[in-house]
Amino acid sequence: MLHVAPGIVRHPLIASVILETEALVNIERASINAVSGEIVLEVPPEKYQEVMEAFERRGVRVVPLEIPVIRDESECVNCGACVSICPTGTFRFEDWRVVADSGKCIQCGACVVGCPQRALKLVLK
């Protein structure tokens, strides 16, 4: 996740990092306004360090989303609401239980809002 501060939000940060690192990135989610921004990128693992350093040199705060969603196992009833609402397929059924692939999560919050048991929460760093 990239946190773009005021003053640099109007610069072509992503394009310049792609050109410098030759990394192919996917923009998973973005919220940008005139003064700041928050962008979730998917970066190939072999380019992660190089891309992260390139953004940091440009004044962007980089936060890895290693475990972006946490499920309270004592509250989860394996209803599958998160499976049906997640736009990236983070959740799936396995042996009638809901399992998560946190590497797919883009912190959109849809699962948190859609969980009837309130068993999910986002990890915001």
Side-chain angles (χ1 to χ4, degrees), residues 5-66:
I8 62 171
V9 74
R10 302 295 301 161
H11 296 274
L13 299 168
I14 296 172
S16 64
V17 168
I18 289 171
L19 289 171
E20 176 187 328
T21 64
E22 297 181 348
L24 297 177
V25 302
N26 285 323
I27 299 173
E28 299 284 350
R29 180 172 59 87
S31 174
I32 302 168
N33 60 39
V35 294
S36 66
E38 182 178 279
I39 306 161
V40 176
L41 295 179
E42 178 185 13
V43 179
E46 66 275 7
K47 289 282 192 174
Y48 170 76
Q49 191 66 34
E50 183 181 3
V51 168
M52 182 181 72
E53 291 169 0
F55 276 114
E56 288 175 341
R57 281 194 303 276
R58 288 163 173 80
V60 176
R61 186 168 64 94
V62 179
V63 178
L65 297 180
E66 294 162 345

Side-chain angles (χ1 to χ4, degrees), residues 53-93:
E53 291 169 0
F55 276 114
E56 288 175 341
R57 281 194 303 276
R58 288 163 173 80
V60 176
R61 186 168 64 94
V62 179
V63 178
L65 297 180
E66 294 162 345
I67 307 174
V69 65
I70 294 180
R71 182 176 58 203
D72 182 343
E73 295 294 336
S74 66
E75 291 295 323
C76 180
V77 295
N78 295 293
C79 69
C82 55
V83 174
S84 64
I85 200 168
C86 180
T88 61
T90 298
F91 301 96
R92 70 181 187 287
F93 280 110

